[in-house]
Amino acid sequence: SARSAAVPMESEGFTSRGDVLEPFEGGSSSIALWDVDPGLSFSLKIEAQHLDRLMLGLVPADLDLTQIKEHTRLEDCRGLPMYRLCLGSREFFAFDQAFLVRDLHVPSDGTIFWEFQNGPRPRLLLKVGERGDPIDLFEYCKVRPPHQLCEGTFKPFIRDVSAGMMFPKLRIRCTLVTRRVRPCIDSEAFTARANRLIWEQRKYTDLVVKTNDGHKVCCHRAFLLTSPVFAVELERWVKEPVEISVDGCHSVVEGMLEFLYTGQLSSQVDAAAVLPLAHRYQIDDLTSAALRRLLDALGPATIAAAARALRPLREEEGLRQAWAELCRRAGQEPSIVEALALAV
């Protein structure tokens, strides 16, 4: 369902005549702010002469005109999810970060659309003209966390950045259309849930992995193809049943197999034990996850196991830096040095 509105919820420095806004002559600040119900998406259609005199904005629902005016400088917006686009200078501001939208070409007279698409992956779009291609500002400017747009309730505002200057009179016709967010499937989340369920239920398996401590883990051969080593070994097996052996204990091998299904390294798995296995089976993402956990948890209780796991791999491409980081961190903390000496 959709709802349209022409009159702003709040305005200052503008006179409103139906759907037309006109700044006061000689006014020092002209700004208009619309209201949007919680969780809705919106599209603000703006028809005007001298579009390059406008700033378009997006702010959280709890901000009012006074607060917006108090945050005009970049340094004022640190920690505040406030987004602005100056059509004349083609500058886009996210929090206290500034970006240049080089491919933006706004005619002096015409129509633009300022659109916020709410949802799990919200988007902020600008479209020039009825038939123009929308620009996703966050994608175009490569805005990174923590300055990215988050799901929530936002509302639009416009501002005449030329207020107080000697320019021809500005007339702006605005129409705001809001609509409810259409339910959509987050494909990545769906895949993660489905793979987790397949791993936990372990039905219709077609492969048995045998560990060096006598355990057998049933799984699906398709999920093991992420590992080039497993892929080569499985090529040798054309008919069922298939049973392959992995030189590792049950908990570590099962942790590696679970990662191939879910992309997550269980907190119950020993990162130092799974690292050599991940490297041997060329599962680069698992190697990275194990390294991160090893280095994040580095301390007197973990240094010996971490060093034993990394030392044989220290000359490998991509692992030299991790070994250097371990040595640097160990050398900075006497308690870790002592624990390592006692483990020798």
Side-chain angles (χ1 to χ4, degrees):
S1 61
R3 176 176 68 86
S4 63
V7 180
M9 177 187 70
E10 295 181 83
S11 65
E12 183 177 297
F14 280 115
T15 59
S16 178
R17 299 176 182 175
D19 61 351
V20 176
L21 298 173
E22 294 183 0
F24 294 160
E25 291 190 14
S28 59
S29 177
S30 299
I31 184 169
L33 176 69
W34 280 261
D35 191 22
V36 174
D37 290 337
L40 297 188
S41 300
F42 68 77
S43 177
L44 181 62
K45 179 180 180 181
I46 304 166
E47 301 171 88
Q49 295 179 329
H50 313 294
L51 282 168
D52 54 356
R53 290 165 53 179
L54 294 180
M55 171 193 282
L56 312 181
L58 182 77
V59 293
D62 56 353
L63 257 62
D64 57 24
L65 278 183
T66 301
Q67 293 169 305
I68 294 173
K69 290 168 61 180
E70 289 174 351
H71 295 83
T72 56
R73 301 177 304 172
L74 271 182
E75 54 266 32
D76 297 331
C77 299
R78 186 174 292 113
L80 178 66
M82 184 173 179
Y83 309 100
R84 295 155 293 166
L85 176 65
C86 289
L87 296 179
S89 64
R90 297 182 295 172
E91 290 178 292
F92 177 60
F93 304 99
F95 288 72
D96 58 344
Q97 302 293 305
F99 307 88
L100 182 62
V101 189
R102 298 181 184 275
D103 295 332
L104 176 60
H105 301 287
V106 177
S108 177
D109 305 341
T111 303
I112 57 174
F113 296 84
W114 184 237
E115 183 174 350
F116 170 62
Q117 296 180 355
N118 210 344
R121 296 183 180 180
R123 304 170 73 199
L124 182 59
L125 308 175
L126 179 77
K127 187 171 78 166
V128 179
E130 297 280 356
R131 299 182 179 180
D133 294 324
I135 297 176
D136 185 326
L137 292 168
F138 284 83
E139 182 177 310
Y140 179 91
C141 297
K142 295 181 171 57
V143 181
R144 297 289 180 258
H147 302 109
Q148 284 181 319
L149 191 59
C150 297
E151 183 176 10
T153 301
F154 289 86
K155 56 190 180 184
F157 72 88
I158 62 171
R159 190 170 196 161
D160 178 10
V161 294
S162 66
M165 302 180 187
M166 297 301 295
F167 283 108
K169 194 169 185 177
L170 182 64
R171 290 170 55 88
I172 312 167
R173 176 173 280 107
C174 300
T175 305
L176 178 74
V177 177
T178 61
R179 62 182 182 277
R180 299 198 176 279
V181 180
R182 294 178 180 176
C184 62
I185 295 176
D186 184 333
S187 58
E188 291 184 6
F190 174 81
T191 301
R193 289 195 302 270
N195 288 350
R196 167 63 64 181
L197 188 64
I198 294 170
W199 168 254
E200 291 175 352
Q201 292 185 347
R202 225 78 63 86
K203 291 183 177 180
Y204 315 117
T205 57
D206 56 5
L207 174 68
V208 175
V209 175
K210 188 176 180 180
T211 66
N212 64 6
D213 53 359
H215 288 84
K216 293 183 178 182
V217 183
C218 296
C219 53
H220 307 83
R221 68 178 77 186
F223 283 91
L224 273 62
L225 297 180
T226 308
S227 162
V229 178
F230 276 133
V232 170
E233 188 162 357
L234 289 171
E235 284 289 335
R236 297 188 291 111
W237 300 87
V238 180
K239 298 181 180 180
E240 298 179 289
V242 178
E243 182 174 297
I244 59 178
S245 297
V246 174
D247 187 14
C249 71
H250 175 233
S251 61
V252 176
V253 172
E254 190 166 50
M256 177 180 69
L257 296 175
E258 180 180 355
F259 185 90
L260 291 175
Y261 278 72
T262 66
Q264 296 177 338
L265 179 58
S266 170
S267 59
Q268 306 301 314
V269 176
D270 183 354
V274 83
L275 176 62
L277 208 56
H279 180 262
R280 186 186 316 150
Y281 282 90
Q282 300 176 26
I283 310 171
D284 295 339
D285 290 334
L286 178 57
T287 301
S288 298
L291 282 174
R292 282 196 302 271
R293 183 176 297 179
L294 275 180
L295 295 175
D296 288 346
L298 203 61
T302 60
I303 181 62
R308 280 194 293 268
L310 258 177
R311 185 170 55 197
L313 309 175
R314 65 186 185 278
E315 297 300 330
E316 296 289 336
E317 189 69 32
L319 297 177
R320 296 192 192 103
Q321 186 175 351
W323 175 254
E325 175 67 10
L326 181 144
C327 294
R328 184 188 66 79
R329 297 257 307 271
Q332 290 178 341
E333 299 183 35
S335 60
I336 293 182
V337 174
E338 182 182 7
L340 193 55
L342 290 172
V344 173

